[in-house]
Amino acid sequence: MLSNFSLEDAEAEALGQDLSQIIEYISQLDELDTEGIEPTYQVFEMENVWRDDEIKAQEADREALLALAPEAEDNQIKVPKVL
Amino acid sequence: MKDYEITIGIECHVQLATKTKLFSEVDNDAREKEPNSCVSPVDYALPGMLPRLNKEAVRMAVIAGHALNAKINLLSRFDRKHYYYPDLPKGYQISQLYQPIIGAGYVALPDGTKVRIEHAHMEEDAGKLSHFAGYSLVDLNRAGTPLIEIVSEPDIHSAAHARDYCKELWRIMTYAGVCFGDLYNGNMRFDVNISLAKPGEPLGTRAEIKNLNSFRSVERAVEYEYKRQSKLLDKGEKVVQETRGWSDDTGETTSQRSKEEAQDYRYMPEPDIPPIHLTEEFVEEMKVEMPKLPEDYREQFKGQIADDTLEILLDYQPLVEKLGETKDVKRVSNWFASVLLAEEKSAEYLNDLPSAKQLNDLAEMTEKAELSSTGAKEVFLKFFDPQMKNRDAREIAKELNVLQENDTGALEAIVDQVLNDPACAQAIADYKAGSEKVLGFLVGQVMKASKGKANPAAVQPILKEKLK
Amino acid sequence: MQIASKEVSATSLVKAALEKAKRCENYNIFISLNEEAALKKAQEIDEKIKKGENPGKLAGVPYALKDNFLSKDGNTTAASKILEPLKSPITATSVKKLEDEGAIMIGRVNMDAFAHGSSTENSYFGPTKNSKDEARVAGGSSGGSAVAVALDIVEFATGTDTGGSIRQPASFNGVYGFKPTYGAISRYGVVAMASSTDCVGFFAKSAEDIDLLMSIAAGQDPYDLTTLPNYYETSEVKDVKKVGIIKDFDVKGEIKEALEKEVEDLKAKGIEIVELEMPTLKYALAVYYIVVPAEISSNLSRYDGIRYGYRNKDAKSLDEVYGKSRSDGFMPENKRRIMIGNFVLSSGFYDAYYLKAQKARTLIIKEYEKAFSKCDFILSPVTPNPAFKLGEKTSDPVSMYLEDVMSVPINLAGLPSLAFPVSETKDGLSLGLQLIGPRRSDKSLLDFAERRLK
C-alpha cells in the first residue's frame, strides 16, 4: 500500500522473504549506543541557501512538459477518474 | 441537546503573496491563467529536479509569525510528507513537521478572547483536479505555491467563535501583507476539528472537516457537526474519527476517510534543502517593518468609533489605514461605513481612496457647518468620481453648490427678504401671537430663498432676533 | 587524454570511439548510442579548430554518460522500464559544463536500474560484463561507465556514487574512479537515488584526467542548493605525511596482499603509516541500508505513470495506474529498497530505525574526524573481494549488500574518495584500493594519487 505496487503473490512472497532478512541485518544497529547523540540528516555544512523572488523563464515550457505525459487533454494531464 | 460542550481546533492554510513559487521561479499568481502555464520542471517533478527555496517566502513566514504573536524558531528545516495523489507531482509534499519556523503564539479576537496557536509551518500547495465523466484532469499551476499552515489549540467553543477566529486570521494575514486574502480563489482554506463532550468529561472523538473556504461555511459546518455528533451521542453511538467533506449546497458534511484508512505520511527530513538559520537581528527587523494589525487599530480608535462600526471597517484594511491618517475619525468612519460601503462599486473604490487632505478638509467644513450632512455626503461621493476625484473638497462643494451660507450679513439680507414677502405675513402674525411652530416654516422659506445654502442652525437665531 | 587538434580531428576521435563501442557489444555496455549528434558536434569542434577558435579544454574528447543523467541528447532510462525512455527537455548542469568544454557524449551506458545495486545485474537491459572476465560482473551501479573506460572505448565516463557505485566498478575493472566531496558537483538533472549521499563523479585512466574533469564540473549551482561554493580550484594542495589504515576491516587474500604492498611502497616513499581504530564503521552498512532506502522510497515516489514515463495500458482506475505501472516499471531491487524505505519511515518504526541510523551516522562522521586528526588520508580496500561471478549473488540481497561494507561509510560522511588500480589477481582480475580524504580535500587527494601512488 505504502509502496504502491500491485504485486503477484509469488513476487510478494519473495520480496517479503528478502525484506525480513534485510530487516534482520539492519536491526544489528540496536547494539550501538546512540544515547544523547544528535542525528545527521545532511552532510552539508551550509545554511540559508535560497534565491530571490523573481520570475525567470524556465528551461522547459508547458508544451515540452506535457509532451511527456502518457495522456493529456486541454493542456492538462489526463488520469482515470479520481474518486 | 445543550448537554454537550463543543471543542474546536482549526488548521488554516494561507497562500503567501510572493511573486514566485516556493521552490521555482515561475509566477505564483495563476488566477485567470491557462492551465499548466505556471509550471516549471521542478513543479512537474521531472527526475533530477531539486527545490530552489524562495527567500521572500521565508521572510513572509517570519512576518506572519510576528502577526500571530508567535515565537520565531531561529533554526527550522523542511520535511517530506508522502502520499500518492495526481495533484502531488513528487509523491511528497515539502512541509515542516519536526522543526517548523513558527512556534507558539495567539490570536486576539474582537470579543476579547484569545485563541492560542500551537505552531505554524511552511509548506507547498498541491495542484488542482477537475473531474469529468470517466476521467480527471490535472492542472499544476497551484502546485508549489508557498503556504503557511497555522495550527490552533482547541480553544474554540462555538460556531460563531470559529467563524470569528477564521475571519480574524484572514484580517491579520491580509493586514500583515503576506496573503492576498482572496477566499474565492482559495487563498485561505480551513480544516476544522470538532469534538463534543459532556461538561467535565474528557474530549470526545473528533471529526475533521476539510477544505472550507469561507467564514460562513466554517460556521455552518460546525453547526451541522454539532447536531450530527450530538444525535449520535444521544443514541449512545460513537463518533468515528474521520475526515469529512462539507457541501455548501446540501449544508451537510459527509465521510471521506476514516482513521483506519488514515495515511501514514512517512515524514522524512528533506535532504535537498539546507536548514534555515535566522539571526535575532533579522527577526527583530521584520517586527519593526510590521504593518499595523486589526488589534493595533482597535487600540488606536478605542472610544472614538463605535465598536460595531469599527468591526465593519476592519474588514477593509485600506479604510482603517486611511482612517488612521485622518483627523476627524468619527465623521470619516461614518462616511466609510454608511456611505462608501453602501455603494455598489465600493470594492473598486477601496483601491483608490481620497487623500487624507481631502477627507480632513471635508470633515472640517462639515464641522464648521459650511456643509450640511447631506452636502458632505454628496461631496464625499464625488471623491470617487473619475472626473472630480482629485479635486479639493471645497472646490467640489462649490461646483455642487452645496456650501451653506453662514455669513450673518448675507443671511440677514435673505431673512429680511423673506420677512418682507407678503406670503409670509400670516406666519409672522401667528408667531407673534405665540405660535412657535411656524418658525420652522419660516426657516424653510429662508432655506428656499437661499437655494439650500443657508445653514438652518444659523438662520434660526437671526429670525428670532428680527421677530422680537 | 587525447584532445582534438589540427593533427587529430574530433571527428576521427568520435568515429574511433563509436566503432569500438560497436565492436564491444558483447559486454552490453551501452543502452543507447548518440552517433548522429556526436558526429555533428565533432564536426562543429573541427570547424572551431580550423578557424582558430577555442574549442574547449575537452575538445572532441569522447565520453560515456551514465544513463541516469538527463540531457537533451538522447533519452534517459536510468536502466529501468519506468522512464520509458524519457526525452528530457533539460540537461544536467554537470553535462552542460562538460559539453561547454567540447566533450562529446558518444552514448549512454548501462547501470543498475536507478543505481540500486553493486553489479549492474539489476538493469532492465541486462547485465554489463566485466572487462577482464566476461563471466563476472562489471560491478555497479556504474558498471557500463567503468567497462567503457577500461576497454578504452572512451577517455572518461560520468558516474554517480551513493554507496560505492563509482569506486567499486572502477576497482573491478582496473580504472580510476573518483567520488568527490558531497556537494562538489551539481546533482541537478541527475536521477536522484539518495539525496543526502548521491555524488556525481568520474571514471578515467589517471588521477590527472580526473583533476581536469573536476576543475570543469565542480562548483556551486543555483539549481542545487546542496552544492558547495567553488573550492576545488582554489584549495591548497597539502604536503601529505601520514596515511592511515583501518584495523577494524577484515581484509583477506589477494586484497590483503595488495594493501600490504601499497603500504610498503608508501613507507618507502617516506610516508608514515598510522593504524586507526574505527569500531563504529562496522555499523555503517546497517546505517546505509536504512538511510538510503528511506530516501530512495521518497525519491522514487514521483514515478507514478502520471506525468511521464511508463503507464500500464490496462490500468483502468487511478490505483491501477499507480500499482501496475510501478510494479511493471521497477526492478525487484528497486522494489526491495522502496519497501525497506517505507518500513523504516513508517510510524512506529521511524525512531527505532531511521532516527537511530541518523544518530549512528553522526558517530561515524565523528570517527572519521578523529581519524583525520591523526593522518592526512586513509588507505582502504574498496571491496572485500574482487569481481564476483554473474548471478552469484542475485538471489541473496544481503550478501550483495555486504560487498559495499568498505565503500558506504565514506558516503555517509560525505567524504571524497579515489579508487585506483593497483594490481591483478592471479586469475587476471583487477584489484583496486581507495584513498579517502577529509571533506574538500579533493584536489590534494588527486594530486597525491598522481604524484605518489604511481
Side-chain angles (χ1 to χ4, degrees), chain C residues 42-57:
Chain C
Q43 251 176 6
E44 285 166 16
I45 290 192
D46 288 333
E47 283 297 309
K48 276 191 182 173
I49 293 172
K50 214 187 275 171
K51 284 188 206 155
E53 290 169 18
N54 178 10
K57 291 177 195 153

Side-chain angles (χ1 to χ4, degrees), chain B residues 45-46 48 80 82 89 266, chain C residues 187 189 298 302 307-308 326 342:
Chain B
L46 277 190
R80 295 180 179 180
H82 300 87
R266 293 156 290 140
Chain C
R187 294 182 289 121
S298 176
R302 67 184 61 194
R307 296 166 315 286
Y308 48 79
R326 287 169 63 82
N342 283 324

Side-chain angles (χ1 to χ4, degrees), chain B residues 86-101:
Chain B
D87 65 5
L88 188 72
K90 294 187 292 296
Y92 57 83
Q93 177 193 31
I94 301 180
S95 179
Q96 295 185 307
L97 175 76
Y98 297 108
Q99 288 169 278
I101 189 163

